[in-house]
């Protein structure tokens, strides 16, 4: 069998019944022989972890290398044809499952995901008025901030942040401090930058701004293909992300990809 395929987290036809007493999967209106290969990894809806296909006996019957953690019926199944030599965390003791390389942290990155859209700049539309600092009132500029937020179901992988600069009682510049990433077309349409002042002292007129998106930034992956991505907290309490390209694919890259959480299109 091939060491890997080109499909990541894609839905297969039909539903399955799985058991906690054995590693068998029984399909209903499934086409296991056409959709799957031995060594592929399956995600079963509602069941944590991924399960590797050991053997396929028919379009409606197969066995896994490990027994699912729970039993279930009429469950949807998703296939990942990642590197078959990378084991699932299910094969390790529970105490070690969070800090080992496993198929659960491997993702297919296609051409649309390697260059993710971020926020390039934010333009000042209206400078506002009355952003003064007076000794006898709350410092209005200190209580004024910009909030970048996305409404709706389509969310960016991480939202951007920015800071404001005031000169002579008006807003003169907006600096993007974190461009964010994963702003799909749907997320872009629902993303706004709101400038607001908290507290009793308010400006005469609040400023407004426009977001300018850029596709120049890259995702966490340095190459298309099968990528290991791990998020963790370092010894100093800082969030960290590290990635490693396990299989670099270019011309014949990932062709079927329904994973849009870690690496959004």
């Amino acid at each position: 069998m091939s060491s890997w395929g080109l499909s990541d987290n894609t839905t297969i036809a039909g539903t399955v019944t799985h058991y906690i007493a054995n590693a068998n999967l029984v399909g209903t209106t499934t086409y296991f022989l056409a959709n799957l290969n031995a060594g592929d990894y399956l995600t079963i809806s509602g069941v944590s972890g991924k399960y590797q296909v050991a053997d396929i006996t028919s379009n409606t019957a197969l066995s896994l290398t490990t027994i699912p953690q729970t039993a279930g019926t009429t469950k949807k199944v998703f296939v990942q044809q990642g590197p078959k030599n990378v084991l699932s965390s299910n094969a390790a003791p529970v105490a070690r499952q969070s800090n080992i390389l496993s198929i659960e942290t491997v993702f297919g990155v296609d051409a649309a995901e390697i260059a993710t859209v971020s926020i390039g700049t934010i333009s000042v539309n209206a400078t506002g008025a009355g952003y003064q600092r007076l000794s006898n009132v709350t410092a209005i500029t200190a209580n004024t901030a910009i909030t970048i937020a996305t409404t709706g179901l389509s969310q960016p992988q991480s939202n951007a942040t920015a800071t404001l600069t005031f000169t002579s009682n008006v807003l003169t510049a907006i600096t993007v401090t974190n461009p964010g990433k994963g702003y799909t077309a749907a997320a872009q349409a629902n993303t706004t930058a709101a400038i607001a002042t908290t507290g009793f002292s308010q400006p005469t007129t609040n400023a407004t701004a426009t977001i300018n998106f850029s596709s120049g930034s890259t995702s966490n992956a340095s190459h298309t293909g099968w990528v290991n991505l791990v998020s963790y907290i370092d010894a100093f309490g800082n969030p960290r992300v590290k990635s490693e390209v396990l299989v670099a694919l270019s011309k014949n890259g990932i062709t079927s990809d329904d994973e849009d959480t870690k690496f959004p299109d």
Side-chain angles (χ1 to χ4, degrees), residues 34-65:
N35 295 157
L36 304 174
N37 294 291
D40 287 347
Y41 273 98
L42 305 180
T43 301
I44 305 170
S45 60
V47 183
S48 62
K50 294 179 181 178
Y51 296 88
Q52 193 168 36
V53 176
D55 183 58
I56 303 172
T57 55
S58 72
N59 272 327
T60 57
L62 62 78
S63 60
L64 304 170
T65 59

Side-chain angles (χ1 to χ4, degrees), residues 166-179:
F166 296 93
T167 306
S168 300
N169 299 335
V170 298
L171 177 65
T172 54
I174 301 174
T175 303
V176 176
T177 53
N178 175 9

